[in-house]
Amino acid sequence: MPNKTNKLKIDFLSNRLMHQLKYSWGVNQALPKAIGMHKNKNLTIIDATAGLGRDSFLLASLGAKIIMIERVEQIYAALKEAMEKAHNHSEKIAKIINNMQLIYGDAKDILPSLDPEIILIDVMHPVRKSALVKQEMRILRQIVGNDNDAKELINIALKLAKQRVVLKWPKKAKLPNGIINPSHKIIGKTTRYDVFITKQKL
Ligand SMILES: C[S@@+](CC[C@H](N)C(=O)[O-])C[C@H]1O[C@@H](n2cnc3c(N)ncnc32)[C@H](O)[C@@H]1O
């Protein structure tokens, strides 16, 4: 059973995130590129696995509208609180938060009602015994455990997304059996983005 005693802190105003936003973030980074933001910033993206909300926040900072889905109540509540705090911080941050909408529930049930174009999926990955796994991710893992239904979620997303599904995955890890091959991959330092183009060619 996951240990639920640890308090998860989500902070969109952390030095690390602010530094990244200011100095090393832009449409040519791996994630926005995988989403297609280097070609079009005016997109609506469903983040089916909101978690700590970092990916959503960073994409929203580039001008995308993000609908975030989180199914663990404790994480949903922490995200909601962090979004409210960040919204009250400054006009600049409020503009980013205004691009983010948070929904509580299981993405497998919610996705069909959203008529999604682009879906981002970043499930809890197999444990890495690395000092690089940050404290917040460790607490998140204690709360969430493993997302054992990842394959089901990916296949639902692949059926529904009208443009693309982007799957964030550890660089060298295999995809679960039963998932089709991606259209292309964007490879970062420790992370790989598998991009599945679902748009039908006319
Ligand atoms: C690895 S974290 C995501 C981290 C996130 N990308 C970030 O930038 O902070 C995975 C999260 O997805 C949530 N999750 C997994 N499967 C889900 C589903 N089917 N519906 C909604 N949330 C889901 C988990 O509860 C967990 O909070």
Side-chain angles (χ1 to χ4, degrees):
M1 260 307 261
N3 165 11
K4 304 217 171 188
T5 55
N6 268 315
K7 171 93 177 125
L8 181 74
K9 251 193 88 190
I10 299 180
D11 185 7
F12 293 118
L13 306 169
S14 70
N15 288 340
R16 186 154 71 96
L17 209 45
M18 287 299 114
H19 190 275
Q20 185 174 1
L21 209 61
K22 198 164 174 191
Y23 298 108
S24 62
W25 186 244
V27 284
N28 286 317
Q29 295 293 311
L31 171 60
K33 223 172 174 175
I35 296 282
M37 286 195 77
H38 57 308
K39 293 191 183 147
N40 181 5
K41 288 188 192 172
N42 197 11
L43 297 173
T44 298
I45 302 158
I46 316 282
D47 182 350
T49 53
L52 302 172
R54 289 221 182 94
D55 291 331
S56 285
F57 181 78
L58 287 166
L59 289 170
S61 77
L62 298 175
K65 300 264 181 282
I66 318 284
I67 300 174
M68 310 151 72
I69 309 173
E70 176 52 58
R71 67 178 168 186
V72 175
E73 200 177 352
Q74 188 182 345
I75 299 169
Y76 167 82
L79 268 173
K80 202 163 168 251
E81 200 183 310
M83 284 169 71
E84 278 164 16
K85 184 179 156 205
H87 191 273
N88 293 332
H89 177 262
S90 65
E91 242 177 70
K92 195 174 151 205
I93 302 292
K95 212 174 143 200
I96 300 176
I97 300 292
N98 285 341
N99 283 341
M100 298 160 67
Q101 184 194 333
L102 178 62
I103 301 178
Y104 174 56
D106 192 313
K108 301 198 297 303
D109 304 326
I110 291 169
L111 281 174
S113 63
L114 295 178
D115 202 17
E117 302 246 318
I118 301 170
I119 302 173
L120 170 64
I121 297 179
D122 174 25
V123 292
M124 294 305 298
H125 301 296
V127 190
R128 270 193 296 144
K129 283 188 192 138
S130 159
L132 291 174
V133 178
K134 301 249 163 22
Q135 170 76 356
E136 300 98 313
M137 279 313 275
R138 268 192 221 125
I139 297 176
L140 189 67
R141 175 172 294 286
Q142 282 172 1
I143 297 167
V144 174
N146 290 323
D147 289 324
N148 292 324
D149 57 347
K151 185 168 136 184
E152 222 182 314
L153 173 62
I154 296 164
N155 277 327
I156 289 173
L158 286 171
K159 241 185 241 158
L160 294 172
K162 288 195 192 136
Q163 283 197 26
R164 69 177 67 193
V165 174
V166 174
L167 187 57
K168 188 172 172 181
W169 210 254
K171 191 174 173 181
K172 293 189 176 156
K174 274 193 186 165
L175 289 182
N177 285 334
I179 303 290
I180 57 166
N181 287 330
S183 315
H184 63 274
K185 299 173 186 191
I186 296 193
I187 301 188
K189 237 200 280 174
T190 56
T191 303
R192 180 179 98 223
Y193 295 94
D194 287 350
V195 182
F196 302 81
I197 304 292
T198 52
K199 183 170 58 176
Q200 302 287 328
K201 286 204 177 87
L202 295 175

